Amino acid sequence: MSSARKTILERIGKAMDEGLVPTLSERQQGANARLSEKKPALVPASANVFGEEAIALFSAKAEAVNATVVRISSSAEIASAVTDYLATKNLPAKIRRGADPLLDQAGWESEPLLDVSIGPSDGSDIAGLSVAASAVAETGTLTLCSGPENPTTLNFLPDYHLIVLPVDRLHGSLEKSLRRLVDEATVEDRALPRVVNLVTGPSRSGDVEQQIVLGAHGPRALHIILLG
Amino acid sequence: MKVHSADFIERSAEAIGDAQLQRALGNVRAGFIGKRAKAAAALPEFEAIRDAAVDIKNHVLGHLDVYLERFETNVKAAGGHVHWARDDDEARSIILDICRKADAKTVTKGKSMLTEEIELNAHLQEHGIEAVETDLGEYIIQLRGETPSHIIAPAVHLNRDQVEADFRRVHSHLDRTRVLDSPESLLGEAREVLRQRYFEADVGITGANFLVAETGSSVIVTNEGNGDLTQTLPRVHIALASIEKIVPTMEDLSTILRLLARSATGQEMSVYTTISTGPRRDGDQDGPEEYHVVLLDNGRSALLGTEFQEVLRCIRCGACMNHCPVFHAVGGHAYGAVYPGPIGAVITPALAGIDKAGHLPNASTFCGRCESVCPMRIPLPKLMRQWREKEYEQGYQPGGMRRGMSLWAFAARHPRLYRIGASIAAPLLSRLGGTRHRISRLPFASGWTDARDLPAPEGETFMQAYAKSKTRNAA
Amino acid sequence: MEDSTSKDGGRPARPTVGLFVTCLVDLFRPSVGFATIELLEKAGCDVAVPVTQTCCGQPAYNSGHRKETAAIARQVIAAFEGFDHVVAPSGSCAAMISHHYPALLADDPSWVQRAQKLAAKTHELTSFLTDIVSLKTVDAAMPSNTTVTYHDSCSGLRELGIKAQPRALLSQVENLELREMEDSEVCCGFGGTFCAKYPAISEVIVSAKTKTIAATDADLLLAGDMGCLMNMAGRLRREGRSTEVRHVAEILAGMTDAPPIAGTEEERS
Ligand code: SF4
């Protein structure tokens, strides 16, 4: 409906010409300036954290929204961290994961009883494992990018979602985290990944009498494995 | 958009007499207010971020055409489609068309007030396509054939026993002896029933909380994860967004996100903030193959550059209704329109006409609590007052009200006349009050005396008494 | 403070205050007007009461009668612009003058500046006594130990930021204990013409209010606005509750001879 497009833009243009920002070229300049500047408006002081301080803040915030957090020092310990978690939850030793290269050296061979499969989820998996693209300390938020190596279905269909976060991917503020993603993703004019999921705790609903219940349509539990 | 706001008085009377509803409304007062206050207090920069967010949105509204075109270009570059709709009718046709091309039998839906505004479900149903709401609250009210009573908590007017009864009625294939008396068990059952529906759906329809111009992304914010399953599992994803949802950059998105969840539910971030850009890419093993954004105007552009423009800053957080004494008293359905509460009182006349929605901007005490919590600092009482002015100017104000107020305003402009009137009324009313100093029934003020006594004047007016005291002192 | 010394030098001049009585005080509760004068004089002001005043115009303004309101506003400006300060025993009327007159007359070049000037020197009573002239001592006492609870009227609270001022002043009153009610910042349901247009809704709101008032078990309910006070007093009496109701100025001025607003419960027939 290109005529709809034309009418809408004309209506807006007319309102603008009659008083908001006078000319189209001024509007273009104004918008272009903002788009190229990419300036954060006001980042809270509490988001201005680095290193161990950022890790501590991230962990505290994630736990405050009902996620659990463990820390390991090398990627070879991922498999045992997964087994441990499944065991404490009394779950079968079975995990569905993506093909993220970080998970190639996860020490799977040291956990022979763990049943590991690779690929998206069809809804039958109890536990899924992903790798975070980045994270935000100020709110305990993980950023997950879709792609061949991290299928989106893993983030939502399994009841238990385990996420590996290499600590060097942690940023203080949401702005920094998102800007890094955009910068990395859009080199050579490529678009952002199809979806970027910002995840802050396991799913929940307050729709019955405003009482918060964990485990709505997404995972009932979120387990974060900090790496490094 | 159909509105039933002309019956506001009858609807609100019904709401006030509805004990179930009144009990449920207690949850609004008890839940949202304290959580928001705590979240706002925990972020020292909260007030400054509100200012920054207002600046962002004002900038967007002042450059809206340019940003919309930029957004469109970037969606297309990522392989998505953009459709423009002038009104609800066009939006419905566009969506139906996409669904038909996808040969859709069922669509799942994430929570979207805009699809309520265009009455999409009924339209799809009429054309043989089943629309399944997946947000728990929306699912519940869909089972009941109701509309949302709140923009972020659609089923806030219900209690758990009502939900249980509906689930038992509709989920008749499940064991009749099952226990279903807690929010946990109700949620668990809805989760199970809906899981299947996600996989069956051919198209997933969501709204959009934001559109990011810089990247051509649509953004949804949810807690349940239903929006994500809705847009990930079917072959086609349609995001319906109104034109004012634009933010320029990820930085601007970040700023406003800091306000949204805090103002809505008191969370620092909602559980899922999902930034979608185009369809499935080469090598992707899941995600929709088609990604469509429908940009809807439906009266918004007509507000640009007018005294109502500020309402376009709204991010639909619901804080205004959560803090509104009138909403607390009558709930959302009494308003008879898609958007209830203070924001609805400002938007509905814009969408449906002040002649049809006159009660809404009038039914406010102007206590100002909505404005004080609105993250986007929308001056809701001022905008409601402007609608009252329009109503008066255009001759829609009820005659008695108009004449009474004109008479009074005339007297107020003629001090001597006013004095005389007051000095007659005061002793008269005072005598009526007698030794109890109050009046229990007063025919022409029955609105007042039906519910409360009228305190009687002391006797003389102040001006009389003051004049006397002056002469006494002089003597 | 402007004009702090008199023209002949030496002795500081007393600031002049125009008392904006408000229509409700004029008609229903002259005691509040006299209490206000008493307090202003105690604070060292010369008080005058212009006779051309009627009402601030808020009922017309909030009913959408903008032009008529602008006419009322011009009349108020003309009557009061000669004073150093304008004081009203009402947050709502003070906010009407200080916040809404300039907006109302924004398109009227010959009046907008006058509106702004008046706006800048118009104050609600308790805020004037604390923020502008800083009344040293209130010097009032309740006849016997009295617990009071305070309702924050909406306009004063949200448009003028009045919250601490009345409490600071009340803390100086002897034999008075302040017991805060829950949700003291929630509207009482008066809303000017609202309570006449939507009586059923107003009743729900004021009933919630009286419940929180009664829950404090206070002897006395105070507030700074007659509209809210009449609404809450009328409802308290109707419900047969015993809480008495007065304007805060009456207590601060120690002028409690007049019966409480809407009388006392014992007087119920
Ligand atoms: S008007 Fe303000 S408070 Fe109300 S929904 Fe919109 S943004 Fe939220």
Side-chain angles (χ1 to χ4, degrees), chain A residues 208-219:
Chain A
V208 178
E209 296 187 353
Q210 305 311 298
Q211 286 185 35
I212 304 298
V213 182
L214 294 185
H217 297 282

Side-chain angles (χ1 to χ4, degrees), chain C:
Chain C
M1 213 188 311
E2 27 188 318
D3 264 12
S4 64
T5 54
S6 64
K7 299 206 179 56
D8 47 12
R11 201 167 49 87
R14 291 164 65 88
T16 61
V17 171
L19 172 63
F20 188 82
V21 181
T22 80
C23 56
L24 289 177
V25 166
D26 179 45
L27 190 65
F28 285 93
R29 197 83 183 154
S31 309
V32 175
F34 289 107
T36 303
I37 294 175
E38 169 81 15
L39 287 163
L40 291 171
E41 286 179 344
K42 210 187 262 178
C45 304
D46 273 339
V47 183
V49 183
V51 291
T52 51
Q53 61 179 303
T54 57
C55 166
C56 65
Q58 197 176 138
Y61 184 53
N62 285 346
S63 300
H65 298 218
R66 198 180 168 92
K67 271 207 209 89
E68 293 86 333
T69 315
I72 297 172
R74 287 190 203 98
Q75 188 173 293
V76 172
I77 295 168
F80 283 90
E81 60 192 346
F83 298 101
D84 297 337
H85 307 283
V86 178
V87 173
S90 156
S92 161
C93 309
M96 180 69 196
I97 299 173
S98 63
H99 281 47
H100 297 287
Y101 279 10
L104 195 56
L105 298 168
D107 299 333
D108 188 340
S110 57
W111 281 88
V112 63
Q113 279 196 340
R114 293 169 72 179
Q116 284 162 350
K117 276 201 188 130
L118 187 72
K121 57 186 178 186
T122 299
H123 307 278
E124 181 275 342
L125 174 66
T126 61
S127 129
F128 181 74
L129 294 176
T130 25
D131 307 336
I132 307 295
V133 286
S134 62
L135 178 66
K136 295 265 154 26
T137 53
V138 168
D139 197 21
M142 301 304 290
S144 58
N145 281 347
T146 309
T147 49
V148 308
T149 192
Y150 194 89
H151 166 71
D152 296 290
S153 292
C154 298
S155 306
L157 174 72
R158 299 198 181 84
E159 293 187 292
L160 304 175
I162 294 164
K163 173 90 187 174
Q165 299 91 324
R167 289 172 174 78
L169 294 168
L170 285 171
S171 71
Q172 301 176 37
V173 178
E174 275 175 50
N175 299 334
L176 181 150
E177 181 205 332
L178 182 67
R179 201 178 287 163
E180 296 286 356
M181 70 179 94
E182 205 187 314
D183 289 339
S184 70
E185 298 186 356
V186 170
C187 179
C188 73
F190 171 63
T193 52
F194 171 84
C195 67
K197 283 189 283 187
Y198 303 98
I201 303 175
S202 177
E203 180 179 347
V204 176
I205 303 176
V206 71
S207 308
K209 189 89 229 177
T210 48
K211 219 182 195 173
T212 60
I213 294 167
T216 64
D217 220 7
D219 306 312
L220 186 60
L221 166 69
L222 300 178
D225 261 275
M226 272 310 288
C228 318
L229 286 164
M230 289 173 61
N231 180 38
M232 293 182 291
R235 182 67 195 178
L236 285 164
R237 290 295 79 80
R238 177 62 57 90
E239 291 174 342
R241 300 190 195 266
S242 63
T243 326
E244 294 180 0
V245 181
R246 289 184 186 277
H247 190 285
V248 64
E250 301 173 38
I251 300 303
L252 296 176
M255 292 165 69
T256 52
D257 290 343
I261 298 167
T264 59
E265 178 52 23
E266 290 84 70
E267 285 162 313
R268 195 174 176 82
S269 55

